Amino acid sequence: MAIPLLICDDSNMARKQVEKSLPAGWDVSISYATNGVEAVEAIRAGKAEMMFLDLTMPVLDGYGVLQTIKDEGLDSMVIVISADIQPEAQERVQKLGAMDFIRKPVSPEKLLETLQKFGLL
Amino acid sequence: MTTMLSEDQRDALQELCNVAMGQAGDSLARLLNHFVELSIPHIELHDAQSLSAGIAPLFIDPPVVAGVQNFSLSQGVGGVALDGQAIVTVPTPALDALQSLLGVTDQRALLLKLTSVIAGDFLWGLGQQLEIPIAPDTANWLGVIADTQTMLANLPTVYQSTLCVDLNYRLEQHNFQCGLILLLPDEAFVFLQSRLQELL
């Protein structure tokens, strides 16, 4: 059964880069969000069992999404894909419950490595 | 007009600037030993006619101190190297606050350091993503900028194409804002545009 996957980023190019980097043959059903509010809505609608999440977004940023997931006990496996690579950013997202952090620009290799690391493939 | 980008190219450039800003932000965080909040960089393109008016808002109020990072970019094997300049602007109150935070007395040295870190990393990040080798050169002090026309008139070249990136880094409890103005000769901008197109 296809895993509901959400790609959340305000940049069209970044969303395309994530999609192009997904492993071939991975059984997912993809949705998109352009900001944190849309991401939270998607989780509630059951479309984000898995999420690739950007940090720098308008309206509600990635940190805000992770905090909401934590506060409300929502269900979503989040992998952050971000340009915010400072050491403390990675610590913060992990404390907020993100599974992992991928540094932008994303690549098929980086994505595959992360998914395999968590036994998701 | 060579400063016109398609919507897709603009979206792509925005994302590349986002990544480059993240790299500069990382260096800034390490330099200041402080968490740095990133904003979404606001980018604007200007030609020679609209430049002075276009960048004026970055300089109005409060007064701004600026440094310039000279650089050259190469158009690949056998291609001519082109020179550009990156101006980093910091509002005076923000620079004063940083000075206190770091406990340094030499404001000029601090501004030059910020210029080379922010502009240098940003250019490196941009160049890496576009596969355009960009080599930083000297960083120079421009001082307090009274008006943009005088500043532009004192630069060695009249730039036809300019990319202005309004970066807004924030340190918690301290507002640190800076602007970055990338001045490129027309040929360099055309080359950058062609590379952007290849990424789409």
Side-chain angles (χ1 to χ4, degrees):
Chain A
M1 211 183 82
I3 301 170
L5 170 69
L6 182 73
I7 298 176
C8 182
D9 198 309
D10 57 321
S11 158
N12 190 29
M13 177 163 121
R15 291 194 301 271
K16 278 199 259 183
Q17 280 175 324
V18 174
E19 192 170 347
K20 278 193 259 184
S21 300
L22 297 178
W26 191 27
D27 195 13
V28 286
S29 146
I30 306 173
S31 303
Y32 305 92
T34 64
N35 62 53
V37 167
E38 288 179 15
V40 173
E41 279 166 12
I43 300 174
R44 295 206 178 106
K47 293 183 180 168
E49 193 178 307
M50 233 203 110
M51 186 188 326
F52 292 120
L53 178 68
D54 180 27
L55 291 177
T56 326
M57 296 182 294
V59 189
L60 182 68
D61 67 12
Y63 296 105
V65 172
L66 289 167
Q67 189 68 59
T68 306
I69 292 174
K70 196 172 185 199
D71 293 343
E72 299 185 22
L74 298 174
D75 230 331
S76 182
M77 289 185 288
V78 180
I79 293 175
V80 167
I81 301 182
S82 178
D84 188 359
I85 57 173
Q86 61 190 304
E88 203 180 314
Q90 303 190 41
E91 283 171 28
R92 287 191 181 197
V93 306
Q94 247 140 15
K95 280 197 192 134
L96 284 172
M99 284 171 60
D100 209 349
F101 187 112
I102 296 176
R103 184 180 167 142
K104 276 186 177 180
V106 72
S107 68
E109 294 72 34
K110 287 185 202 173
L111 209 66
L112 184 65
E113 194 187 313
T114 303
L115 293 172
Q116 285 176 334
K117 186 159 84 170
F118 292 98
L120 293 166
L121 266 189
Chain B
M1 201 169 83
T2 55
T3 48
M4 292 296 282
L5 293 181
S6 71
E7 206 182 301
D8 281 348
Q9 288 170 348
R10 216 200 140 86
D11 175 78
L13 183 58
Q14 177 78 44
E15 178 59 14
L16 297 186
C17 286
N18 182 33
V19 176
M21 185 187 180
Q23 288 176 327
D26 179 43
S27 293
L28 203 59
R30 291 169 198 270
L31 177 72
L32 304 177
N33 200 26
H34 206 290
F35 183 71
V36 173
E37 286 176 27
L38 306 189
S39 69
I40 297 163
H42 173 72
I43 65 174
E44 255 177 42
L45 296 156
H46 292 289
D47 59 19
Q49 285 69 44
S50 66
L51 179 57
S52 184
I55 63 175
L58 286 174
F59 295 79
I60 296 171
D61 185 34
V64 143
V65 192
V68 61
Q69 174 72 57
N70 298 301
F71 65 90
S72 67
L73 63 86
S74 97
Q75 296 174 90
V77 180
V80 172
L82 301 165
D83 292 337
Q85 293 180 294
I87 300 175
V88 173
T89 63
V90 183
T92 321
L95 194 60
D96 291 341
L98 252 194
Q99 246 190 297
S100 308
L101 182 69
L102 296 174
V104 301
T105 47
D106 191 342
Q107 195 181 74
R108 195 166 164 138
L110 175 60
L111 193 268
L112 284 177
K113 180 77 182 171
L114 288 172
T115 300
S116 71
V117 165
I118 293 169
D121 272 34
F122 187 90
L123 288 167
W124 184 85
L126 201 60
Q128 204 202 20
Q129 293 174 88
L130 289 168
E131 291 180 31
I132 299 176
I134 299 183
D137 196 355
T138 52
N140 299 317
W141 165 261
L142 288 179
V144 177
I145 306 296
D147 76 277
T148 54
Q149 277 189 305
T150 309
M151 180 189 79
L152 294 172
N154 287 331
L155 293 177
T157 312
V158 174
Y159 289 97
Q160 292 307 321
S161 303
T162 312
L163 171 63
C164 296
V165 188
D166 196 359
L167 308 174
N168 203 340
Y169 292 111
R170 252 194 98 232
L171 307 180
E172 284 163 338
Q173 291 147 23
H174 305 274
N175 247 325
F176 173 68
Q177 199 175 348
C178 66
L180 180 70
I181 303 167
L182 271 183
L183 300 165
L184 296 167
D186 218 25
E187 293 163 277
F189 189 83
V190 169
F191 181 57
L192 185 146
Q193 188 175 19
S194 71
R195 280 284 206 235
L196 270 178
Q197 188 57 39
E198 284 169 28
L199 287 178
L200 294 177

